[in-house]
Amino acid sequence: MSVFAYTALGKDGRKTSGTLNCDSRAAALAQIAKQGLHPIKVDEAKNAAAAAKKAASTNARPGKVPGKAIESFTRELANLLAGGVPLARGLALLKRETSNAAAKQLWSDIHDDVVGGTALADSMAKHPKSFSSVYIAMVRAGEAGGFLDVVLNQISDFRTREQDLKGKVKAAMVYPIILGFLAVGVLIFLLTFFIPRFNGIFQQFGGNLPALTQFIIGASNIVKNYGLFVGIAAVLIFIGVKRAASTVEGRRTFEQLILATPILGTIISHFALVRFARMLGTLAGAGVPLIASLRVAREAIGNQTLADTVTSSIEQVQQGTALSKSLSGNTRLFPPSVIEMVAVAEETGRLDKELLRLSTTYEADLDRQLRLLVSVVEPMMLFAMAGLIGMVVIGMLLPVFNLQELIH
C-alpha cells in the first residue's frame, strides 16, 4: 500500500490537502470522490512524512518573488499562450522550469487555482506583493476579451520600459545626490564650526550687522544648540506625513499635490492617459462592452484622483451620455484635443483604433517629458546647492567688507 498526497476542492469551492493510504492512484481518486471532493492534484509519496510535508508546502504562502522572476514569467507565459499551449499546461511548465523557490511556490499556487476553476486574475489578486493592481487589471481584461497572450506581452513590455526608465533616472540622479550630501555636510560644518568663530568678532557690532548675517548666525546657534532636537523633529514629521499618505484621504491629498506640480503633474497625467487609452482601446477592439471596458480601464490608471473622473464618466455613459462628453469633466487627464479626437472616433466607429493611436502618441510624448524632467532636475539641484553655500559665505563676508562703517 502506498501513500498519496492530494489537493482537492470541496463543494464550497475551498481547497483542501491531505494524505491517503491506497493501493493505487486510481483507488486514491475514487476515495477522494467518495468524500465529495474534486481532485486537483494527486501524487504518490514515498512515505507519510514526505506526503505531509508536500501537502503543507502546498498551503504555505510564497515568499518574496524577485521582480525579474515576475517579468520572465509574464514574457514566457505570453509566448506559450501565443503558441497555442493551454493556460494550465503553460503554468505547469513554468513551475517546473523555475529555479527560484519562492517563484516555484507562487507559480504552483496559481496553477492549482487555475486548474480548480479560478480565473488567472483572481488567483494573482491573492498575491498583491507580487502582482500590482494594474497588472491584475490588465490580466482580467485579457481574460475577458480572449487575448490574454497579447495583454501579457503588453505587461512585459511595459515593465521593461518602466525598469529602463527607472534605471535612467537613478543614473542621472547619482551625481546630484552625491553633491547634495556634500553640500549638506559642508553647510553643517559652516554652521557649527566656521560661523561660531566669527561670533566673538561680530558681537560688538550688535544690531548693526546686516540682516543676512544676523539670520545666518541665528541659524548657526539653532543648529549648534538644538541640532539633535531639530533632527528628531524632522524624522517625526517625515513619519507622520508617510502615515497620513497611507490613508485614503491622505493619498488623495498627496496625489492632488503631485498633480498640481508643473512638470511632474503633467507627466503623471499623461502616464495615466496612456494606460487608460491603451486598455480601453484593446478591450473595445476585442468586443468587450463599453461599460465593462471602462471599469477595467479605470483600474489601470494607477491614480485614485484621476480614476474618480472615470467613475463619474461610467455613471454618465450608463445614462446614455456619449463617452467624449462624459470624459470632458477633467481637462488634466483628458485635454480638449483628446476629447475632440474621441468624439470623432465615436462618430466614425473607430474608437478602438483611435484610442490605441492616442496611447502610442502620448507614450512618445511622455518619454520626451521624462527626459526633460531629468535634464532639468540636475542643474536645478546644482544651482540650489551653490546658492545655499554661496549665501552663507556672502553673509559672513558682508560685515568684513563694511567693517569700517560698522565700527563707526
Side-chain angles (χ1 to χ4, degrees), residues 186-224:
V186 171
L187 195 59
I188 293 174
F189 171 77
L190 292 175
L191 293 175
T192 58
F193 181 80
F194 179 73
I195 294 175
R197 295 293 186 273
F198 286 82
N199 283 344
I201 301 175
F202 293 155
Q203 279 180 357
Q204 57 182 320
F205 302 144
N208 294 326
L209 286 173
L212 179 60
T213 305
Q214 293 182 35
F215 172 79
I216 293 173
I217 292 176
S220 174
N221 291 332
I222 292 175
V223 173
K224 186 178 180 181

Side-chain angles (χ1 to χ4, degrees), residues 110-319:
I110 293 175
H111 170 267
D112 293 346
D113 286 344
V114 170
V115 171
T118 303
L120 179 61
D122 293 337
S123 178
M124 290 178 170
K126 298 177 182 179
H127 311 281
K129 292 183 178 180
S130 299
F131 303 101
S132 65
S133 58
V134 175
Y135 190 113
I136 295 168
M138 295 183 73
V139 170
R140 183 172 284 111
E143 288 184 298
F147 48 90
L148 184 57
D149 56 329
V150 176
V151 168
L152 288 173
N153 262 322
Q154 290 179 347
I155 294 173
S156 182
D157 292 339
F158 171 76
R159 289 177 65 94
T160 300
R161 289 195 301 269
E162 194 173 54
Q163 292 300 322
D164 290 343
L165 180 60
K166 288 181 179 179
K168 292 177 181 178
V169 172
K170 288 179 180 179
M173 294 303 294
V174 167
Y175 180 61
I177 289 174
I178 293 176
L179 286 180
F181 279 110
L182 289 175
V184 171
V186 171
L187 195 59
I188 293 174
F189 171 77
L190 292 175
L191 293 175
T192 58
F193 181 80
F194 179 73
I195 294 175
R197 295 293 186 273
F198 286 82
N199 283 344
I201 301 175
F202 293 155
Q203 279 180 357
Q204 57 182 320
F205 302 144
N208 294 326
L209 286 173
L212 179 60
T213 305
Q214 293 182 35
F215 172 79
I216 293 173
I217 292 176
S220 174
N221 291 332
I222 292 175
V223 173
K224 186 178 180 181
N225 299 324
Y226 307 102
L228 179 60
F229 300 102
V230 172
I232 294 174
V235 172
L236 292 176
I237 291 173
F238 174 78
I239 294 174
V241 171
K242 188 175 181 180
R243 288 184 177 179
S246 63
T247 63
V248 176
E249 292 300 325
R251 181 182 177 185
R252 290 178 186 275
T253 303
F254 182 70
E255 289 176 347
Q256 289 171 0
L257 290 174
I258 292 179
L259 291 173
T261 305
I263 300 178
L264 185 60
T266 302
I267 290 176
I268 296 297
S269 299
H270 283 188
F271 194 48
L273 176 60
V274 168
R275 286 176 167 178
F276 176 81
R278 177 175 290 121
M279 179 63 68
L280 186 59
T282 304
L283 291 171
V288 180
L290 181 58
I291 299 298
S293 300
L294 284 169
R295 287 172 177 165
V296 177
R298 176 185 58 190
E299 298 181 36
I301 289 179
N303 185 293
Q304 189 58 49
T305 302
L306 297 176
D308 290 341
T309 303
V310 181
T311 301
S312 175
S313 173
I314 293 174
E315 296 174 356
Q316 295 180 44
V317 172
Q318 286 178 322
Q319 297 173 0

Side-chain angles (χ1 to χ4, degrees), residues 10 37 58 93 96-97 117 161 164 180 192 238 245 303 316 320 326-327 369 378 385 397 403:
L37 301 175
T58 303
L93 181 61
R96 290 197 302 268
E97 289 184 348
R161 289 195 301 269
D164 290 343
T192 58
F238 174 78
N303 185 293
Q316 295 180 44
S326 69
L327 296 176
Q369 290 178 346
E378 183 173 345
M385 296 169 195
L397 289 178
L403 185 59

Side-chain angles (χ1 to χ4, degrees), residues 30-60:
Q31 189 169 340
I32 293 172
K34 287 181 181 180
Q35 298 177 12
L37 301 175
H38 176 71
I40 297 175
K41 183 170 58 176
V42 179
D43 296 318
E44 182 179 359
K46 294 182 179 179
N47 50 61
K53 183 177 179 182
K54 186 169 186 179
S57 65
T58 303
N59 290 328

